[in-house]
């Protein structure tokens, strides 16, 4: 199999009808924060049990094409000794891996961040592939103020995303390219629209410059929303219209699939917004699906709270959110379905 055959085979799995991606790749500080919020101690064992709970949910492959894992999870085993990545493969789901190493301030771009981890990436990808990973994920983060992200921040972050994506493809690993415009702050939806437009324009220019094969990548963007500190929330129709406008202006039709992050939206909001986009854009050139972390995991995590007797209920809640988002991926979600469940 050539590298291109590998990439195409993985993309064909990711765009399967009714399916999306689960981001379960929280790094140590992030999972510790999420666990702490619901009273769970973050230890290697609780993290293993929690990821096992997600991966062994019955019927998960009806709605999930792939899970993004954190490096620690890729090396962990289920209770019966099966590697957790193999548990996913047996469920008919692709394992993926977060490969960035977090953010650091970008010098001379006051307030902007840049993501680290390009050094040695090819070697790491070779090893992750042996452990079962077929796709990877890298996130660049853009905080929004009146002056951030700066032009330098936008260009530098785009360059790093493109270099990462090109390295992944050279190793036969499909890159998920994740530019996240943060919801934190009191900015307007119009400001988020402006920033998202500039960010995606720079990202696709850099991907082109680096020869990234657009047909073999996944875009994981944020939606166009007002800042958390700028109430009221926008309706799903307003979010959908603004997000679609920015995507149509910047994302070439060659990109097969756009899988959104949820970015701090509630589970129901993230589902309703995705649904509205799929209703509003039947002619869209890309699949519009999900790659949520919090909007899929908050309900099961709150139910589990680290107790074995709650595993079943937590898995049912996880299955329910996946089902709702699978419907939203086709514009078939209705809020009454939440109540019915
Ligand atoms: C934005 O975060 C990604 C999507 O999650 P949400 O749907 O909750 O917004 C997510 O994949 C994120 O990259 C991981 O949770 C890892 O985050 P950290 O901060 O640990 O790199």
């Amino acid at each position: 199999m050539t590298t291109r055959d590998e990439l195409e085979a993985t993309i064909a799995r990711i765009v399967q009808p009714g399916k999306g991606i689960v981001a379960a790749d929280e790094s140590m500080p992030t999972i510790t924060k999420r666990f702490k919020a619901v009273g769970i101690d973050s230890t290697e064992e609780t993290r293993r049990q929690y990821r096992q709970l997600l991966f062994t949910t019955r019927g998960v492959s009806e709605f999930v094409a792939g899970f993004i894992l954190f490096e620690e999870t890729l090396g962990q085993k289920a209770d019966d000794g099966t590697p957790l990545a193999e548990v996913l493969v047996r469920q008919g789901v692709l394992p993926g891996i977060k490969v960035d190493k977090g953010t650091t301030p970008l010098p001379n771009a006051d307030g902007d961040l840049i993501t680290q981890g390009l050094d040695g990436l090819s070697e790491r990808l070779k090893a992750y592939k042996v452990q079962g990973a077929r796709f990877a994920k890298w996130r660049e983060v853009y905080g929004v103020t009146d002056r951030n992200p700066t032009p330098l921040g936008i260009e530098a972050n785009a360059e790093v995303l493109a270099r990462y994506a090109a390295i992944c493809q050279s190793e036969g690993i499909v890159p998920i390219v994740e530019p996240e415009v943060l919801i934190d702050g009191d900015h307007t939806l119009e400001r988020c629209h402006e920033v998202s437009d500039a960010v995606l324009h720079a990202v696709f220019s850099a991907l082109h410059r680096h020869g990234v094969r657009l047909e073999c990548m996944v875009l994981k963007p944020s939606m166009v929303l007002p800042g958390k500190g700028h109430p009221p929330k926008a309706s799903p129709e307003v979010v959908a219209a603004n997000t679609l406008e920015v995507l149509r202006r910047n994302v070439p039709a060659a990109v097969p699939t756009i899988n959104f992050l949820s970015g701090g939206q509630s589970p129901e909001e993230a589902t309703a917004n995705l649904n509205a986009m799929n209703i509003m854009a039947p002619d869209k050139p890309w699949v519009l699906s999900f790659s949520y972390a919090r909007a899929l995991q908050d309900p099961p995590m709150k139910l589990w709270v680290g107790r074995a007797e709650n595993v079943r209920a937590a898995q049912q809640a996880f299955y329910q959110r996946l089902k709702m988002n699978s419907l939203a991926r086709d514009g078939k979600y209705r809020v009454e379905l939440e109540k019915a469940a």
Side-chain angles (χ1 to χ4, degrees), residues 80-96:
D80 67 0
T82 310
L84 285 176
E86 179 59 25
V87 169
L88 288 177
V89 172
R90 289 183 192 170
Q91 284 265 44
V93 173
L94 287 172

Side-chain angles (χ1 to χ4, degrees), residues 23 25-27 30 34 68 98 100 137 139 178 180 220 261-264 291-295:
D25 61 323
E26 297 86 357
S27 60
T30 304
R34 306 262 185 273
I68 313 172
K98 182 244 281 296
D100 68 67
K137 195 211 80 173
R139 177 167 64 128
E178 182 180 5
E180 179 180 15
K220 176 169 173 169
L261 60 91
S262 57
S291 175
Y292 302 152
R294 283 164 286 180

